Structures are given as structure tokens and as C-alpha cells.
Amino acid sequence: MPEGEKAELIEGIVYMASPVRTNRHGKPHLILANWLGHYISATPGLDEYGDNATARLDDDNEPQPDLALLLPARIGGLARVDDDDYMTGPPTLVCEIAASSVSIDLHGKLNAYRRNGVREYLIWRTLDSAVDWFVLREGQYVPLAADSNGVLKSEQFPGLWLDVGSLLIGDLPRVFKTVELGCAAPDHAAFLARLRAE
């Protein structure tokens, strides 16, 4: 394959990336990356994460998730960065921006991530102005329920909160304030203690 070409192996099929549009993918990708980075900056001990990094899941699946966050193995994470600098095993959280790729992200990738044990899968469907956040329960993905304020709260990463309404209207100060509120919650403090102790 030519240098610089992006391709993903999903369920044994190679997909070549289409050109990336600014408002449908590039801008939302940067926003979600900053949301995740805001959380990482408040959570010392989370050292493994990636942006468009290949994840070697199994013989038929080597996706390049838009964003991935790994729990450390010492507290139950299943993925690691191998000697070749690739993620091997299922990241704990995968985030995808889905515009032209929505059919792949909601079908082939969803099945590959589920079957390989990705515990949380967030998809921002930009053309639909919607966010789906799935959590793995007994081998199946179920939608993560928002609280009464419309905030989604990660089960694997305490304090990683997403105000979906604010995200969809582009109210970034509110999106980041929600992460700060999550990181001020007692369960985030307990998570930080686990990260330090293990």
C-alpha cells in the first residue's frame, strides 16, 4: 500500500478511507479529541491512548479508531501497546466520528468491537446530530443511559462525562465544564486512588 494511505481491516474486509470533510468529520474529531484530552489531563495515570492508531483486535480486524483510551492492565485493561507500537487487544473506550462511514461504524465495526471486548463504544453520527454510547454487558452492546440532565457518564472511566446537548450545539465551554464536574465527583477521586495504588 502506498505510504500515507489509510486502510482498515474490518471483519476480513479492507476499507480505504474516503476524503475527510471538515464539518462532517474534521471539526467534530478535534472537538471529541479535546474533550477526551481534557479528561486525560485531569486523570494522571492514564498513559495509553491514541488518535487514528491501529488496534490489532484479531486476524480479521485491525481498525484505526478515531480515538481510543486504554485502562492500564494493572486495573483490568485488556489492550497494550506492543513492541511495534501498535495497540494489541481491545481498547477500553473507542470513539468514532461517523458521517460517510456510519454504515460501517454501526455494523461491521460495532460487531468487531463487541466481539473483541471493547467495553465502551461512542459514535458521534454527525449527519444525524446524534451520539450513541454503548456499553458491553454480557457480550452485547446496550445504550448507555443519560442522566436527568442529558449527561452520559462512562462506566469504565469515572468522571468522563459528556453533555450531549451541549456537544451537538457546539457549546464547548459547557462540554468542558461537564468534564470538570465529573472530575470533581467522588468516584473520580476513587479512580485516581486506584491508578496511584496499583
Side-chain angles (χ1 to χ4, degrees):
M1 181 176 317
E3 185 70 26
E5 290 290 331
K6 179 181 175 182
E8 298 180 279
L9 179 64
I10 309 295
E11 301 290 47
I13 300 170
V14 175
Y15 292 90
M16 299 293 293
S18 61
V20 176
R21 298 182 186 272
T22 301
N23 290 312
R24 293 180 185 177
H25 190 101
K27 184 177 174 181
H29 184 118
L30 184 59
I31 290 169
L32 212 58
N34 277 285
W35 164 75
L36 199 56
H38 203 66
Y39 175 75
I40 291 166
S41 71
T43 314
L46 290 181
D47 302 324
E48 301 292 353
Y49 39 85
D51 182 317
N52 276 303
T54 297
R56 293 174 167 168
L57 299 178
D58 60 32
D59 289 343
D60 292 325
N61 292 285
E62 290 190 6
Q64 287 181 245
D66 286 323
L67 301 162
L69 183 57
L70 286 62
L71 272 176
R74 66 186 185 280
I75 61 168
L78 301 175
R80 63 180 178 81
V81 176
D82 66 21
D83 293 339
D84 291 329
D85 200 26
Y86 291 107
M87 283 184 280
T88 301
T92 310
L93 168 68
V94 165
C95 303
E96 297 280 7
I97 309 301
S100 61
S101 64
V102 72
S103 63
I104 298 167
D105 293 329
L106 279 174
H107 296 96
K109 278 190 181 179
L110 182 141
N111 287 329
Y113 290 149
R114 176 193 53 77
R115 196 177 60 258
N116 281 281
V118 172
R119 295 177 193 159
E120 295 190 353
Y121 181 33
L122 186 153
I123 308 167
W124 183 355
R125 293 182 285 120
T126 58
L127 296 180
D128 299 327
S129 295
V131 172
D132 304 298
W133 194 332
F134 299 103
V135 293
L136 190 62
R137 297 218 176 99
E138 298 179 9
Q140 298 300 319
Y141 275 141
V142 297
L144 182 64
D147 71 9
S148 59
N149 296 314
V151 174
L152 294 171
K153 299 177 179 179
S154 172
E155 294 180 354
Q156 296 295 315
F157 297 97
L160 182 58
W161 294 2
L162 180 61
D163 183 329
V164 174
S166 297
L167 178 75
L168 296 177
I169 64 170
D171 184 352
L172 299 186
R174 184 68 191 156
V175 169
F176 297 132
K177 181 65 177 173
T178 301
V179 174
E180 291 165 10
L181 290 170
C183 291
D187 61 342
H188 185 258
F191 184 53
L192 289 177
R194 275 183 70 203
L195 289 170
R196 285 191 299 264
E198 300 291 335

